Amino acid sequence: MQRGRTLSAATAAHLARLVLEDLAPGDKLPPERTLAEDLAVSRTTVREAMQELERRRLVSRTPGRGTVVLPRSEEATALLERQTGVGHAEDLAHRAENVAEFRTVVEPQVAALAAARAGEADLLALERILQATHAGLSPEESLAQDVAFHVQVARASGNPLLVSLCELSSGWVQDVRARSHSTSEGRRSSFVWHERILDCIRRHDEGAARAAMTDHLADVAHLVERKADR
């Protein structure tokens, strides 16, 4: 998954929350240019995000009329309830547990393989992602960098099947990931752990990379659990 695709997915998630939580059926969204400026992304990214919202029947786009929020379908209502936690606190907690378990089974071993096999190009790509991660990022931008980092770790493992699994699972775990990036504490913690994981990969220390990824995921699960309890 290219960085542009991960950013468009994060932008789509942000706009879906806007449509479901702040707008009503019949309301119009701002023009692509305005959204791109407000979100500090390209118009192409906004356009791709809008296509995803249209596919999910959240909005309708008509030339000359703009983008209009559609009446909520059962799927959209369920999505809103999942995002807000209305009537689904137990479901959200269960999903977070499933995500934590899945990632803990897969990603520490991916990090260990990356430490064993990473080349200079892999290390440079990981370093560039961290250089683009800073305190001024929005939650959506921080989430996109998070996804990009973990996908790049998978690429460094040298196993294309693990890359595909990591890309595919990004969609499965995005809502849980988004909750950990919704606070400055969560964004800062993610960056610190990514630095530690990169250091282990750079030193080709498989055991340390596996342990660092395990601890990182445990920290994410803890942050999500604390946010859910508030």
Side-chain angles (χ1 to χ4, degrees), residues 32-90:
E32 286 182 1
R33 178 179 298 175
T34 302
L35 288 171
E37 292 174 354
D38 290 346
L39 299 175
V41 297
S42 70
R43 292 184 66 177
T44 298
T45 296
V46 171
R47 192 171 301 116
E48 291 173 350
M50 286 297 190
Q51 289 171 351
E52 173 63 16
L53 265 60
E54 192 172 31
R55 185 189 67 78
R56 292 158 64 181
R57 300 290 299 161
L58 296 177
V59 301
S60 173
R61 297 187 301 160
T62 305
R65 189 180 175 207
T67 303
V68 179
V69 178
L70 290 174
R72 287 178 187 150
S73 63
E74 291 183 7
E75 180 182 356
T77 300
L79 178 61
L80 174 60
E81 291 176 345
R82 287 199 301 273
Q83 291 188 16
T84 60
V86 176
H88 286 272
E90 292 184 3

Side-chain angles (χ1 to χ4, degrees), residues 33-187:
R33 178 179 298 175
T34 302
L35 288 171
E37 292 174 354
D38 290 346
L39 299 175
V41 297
S42 70
R43 292 184 66 177
T44 298
T45 296
V46 171
R47 192 171 301 116
E48 291 173 350
M50 286 297 190
Q51 289 171 351
E52 173 63 16
L53 265 60
E54 192 172 31
R55 185 189 67 78
R56 292 158 64 181
R57 300 290 299 161
L58 296 177
V59 301
S60 173
R61 297 187 301 160
T62 305
R65 189 180 175 207
T67 303
V68 179
V69 178
L70 290 174
R72 287 178 187 150
S73 63
E74 291 183 7
E75 180 182 356
T77 300
L79 178 61
L80 174 60
E81 291 176 345
R82 287 199 301 273
Q83 291 188 16
T84 60
V86 176
H88 286 272
E90 292 184 3
D91 289 347
L92 286 168
H94 186 58
R95 178 169 175 77
E97 290 174 3
N98 288 339
V99 166
E101 184 175 65
F102 169 78
R103 298 187 72 188
T104 300
V105 168
V106 175
E107 295 195 46
Q109 185 58 29
V110 173
L113 289 172
R117 301 170 179 173
E120 288 302 317
D122 298 310
L123 295 174
L124 182 59
L126 288 167
E127 288 166 358
R128 284 175 175 166
I129 292 170
L130 286 187
Q131 288 169 2
T133 307
H134 54 80
L137 293 182
S138 68
E140 290 75 24
E141 291 168 331
S142 180
L143 173 61
Q145 295 297 338
D146 181 18
V147 173
F149 180 85
H150 285 269
V151 170
Q152 182 55 44
V153 170
R155 287 199 185 103
S157 76
N159 187 324
L161 296 181
L162 290 176
V163 178
S164 296
L165 178 60
C166 190
E167 291 178 344
L168 179 62
S169 66
S170 293
W172 303 341
V173 307
Q174 181 161 325
D175 57 341
V176 175
R177 256 179 170 152
R179 282 150 66 193
S180 72
H181 281 266
S182 65
T183 66
S184 58
E185 177 189 6
R187 296 191 291 274

Side-chain angles (χ1 to χ4, degrees), residues 8 10 17-18 28 32 37 42 69 71 84 98 100 102 114-115 148 154 183 186 190 197 200 211 217 222 227:
S8 67
R17 284 194 293 273
L18 174 68
K28 293 180 64 174
E32 286 182 1
E37 292 174 354
S42 70
V69 178
T84 60
N98 288 339
F102 169 78
T183 66
S190 177
I197 292 165
C200 297
L217 298 177
H222 178 64
K227 189 175 190 319

